[in-house]
Amino acid sequence: MLIPHDTRIALDTVVDLMNTAPEGGRGETLGDVPSLYAFVEGHQVSGVGELGPRDLRAVQEVRDRFAEVFAAPDARTAAGLINQLVAAAGTTPQLTDHDGYDWHVHYFAPGASVADHLAADCGMALAFILVAGERERLRRCEAPDCRRAFVDLSRNRSRRYCDSRTCGNRLHVAAYRARRKDAAAG
């Protein structure tokens, strides 16, 4: 699946934002304004001014909407959720080439809040996946104690874990040990 560079960055941002939520035994990692600044800086979200508690709450709400898209039971439901998210952000597509990046599209209005910026750009990235007929690539880790979000970009859509080196390997080792234990007992 060919995904433009800016769409891939937006998808990575969606996943990273979703994975800040308290879930699967993990605590909230986007719980204060300094952590929001760190997230924005770490993801090179452009055009963000001063942030405050209202911005934090708004970004957490956008994060929850992204989680609803990932959990949507079908494409029609996902499309409705994405449409609501993007419309509420006041989408204003613009071509831009800033900070050393070649031409790409920003979907947020100039001067938009960080929440609207994320909702518009990341919402459009999710729309791209849906339009491409690839909604099933929006996944949660199958490790029972994890449930982190990820986008499965494997060729055959077979990825099951957020990270095969941690979650996948841990489950494979546990299954191996259980088989050895059964073999020794039997």
Side-chain angles (χ1 to χ4, degrees):
M1 171 175 197
L2 182 62
I3 299 175
H5 177 72
D6 54 325
T7 301
R8 177 60 195 264
I9 289 171
L11 289 171
D12 290 343
T13 302
V14 168
V15 166
D16 290 347
L17 180 60
M18 287 177 58
N19 289 334
T20 65
E23 186 169 339
R26 293 185 320 267
E28 172 73 65
T29 59
L30 193 64
D32 55 25
V33 174
S35 63
L36 178 58
Y37 272 112
F39 182 87
V40 165
E41 184 177 300
H43 289 84
Q44 299 178 338
V45 179
S46 62
V48 175
E50 190 170 331
L51 300 173
R54 181 178 296 152
D55 295 299
L56 176 63
R57 283 189 302 279
V59 168
Q60 290 169 336
E61 289 172 13
V62 167
R63 176 185 68 190
D64 294 344
R65 301 297 76 81
F66 290 150
E68 290 175 11
V69 171
F70 270 63
D74 54 53
R76 184 164 307 283
T77 303
L81 293 166
I82 293 168
N83 285 339
Q84 290 171 3
L85 186 67
V86 170
T91 307
T92 308
Q94 296 180 58
L95 282 169
T96 184
D97 67 338
H98 61 87
D99 299 328
Y101 293 104
D102 204 359
W103 289 105
H104 59 283
V105 179
H106 280 183
Y107 294 97
F108 57 93
S113 70
V114 67
D116 285 346
H117 178 135
L118 292 169
D121 271 6
C122 296
M124 290 305 298
L126 292 172
F128 175 82
I129 293 295
L130 191 70
V131 167
E134 301 287 353
R135 187 181 70 84
E136 69 275 2
R137 291 184 182 274
L138 305 177
R139 300 214 174 135
R140 292 286 189 159
C141 183
E142 290 184 19
D145 60 341
C146 180
R147 304 296 298 150
R148 290 176 64 87
F150 68 95
V151 178
D152 178 4
L153 297 177
S154 67
R155 187 176 298 239
N156 62 358
R157 298 177 191 94
S158 62
R159 190 170 156 199
R160 298 174 49 209
Y161 306 108
C162 63
D163 186 345
S164 60
R165 291 181 307 258
T166 55
C167 290
N169 192 42
R170 188 175 67 246
L171 290 177
H172 290 115
V173 167
Y176 171 76
R177 288 181 179 156
R179 285 191 305 273
R180 289 207 38 175
K181 183 178 177 182
D182 288 346

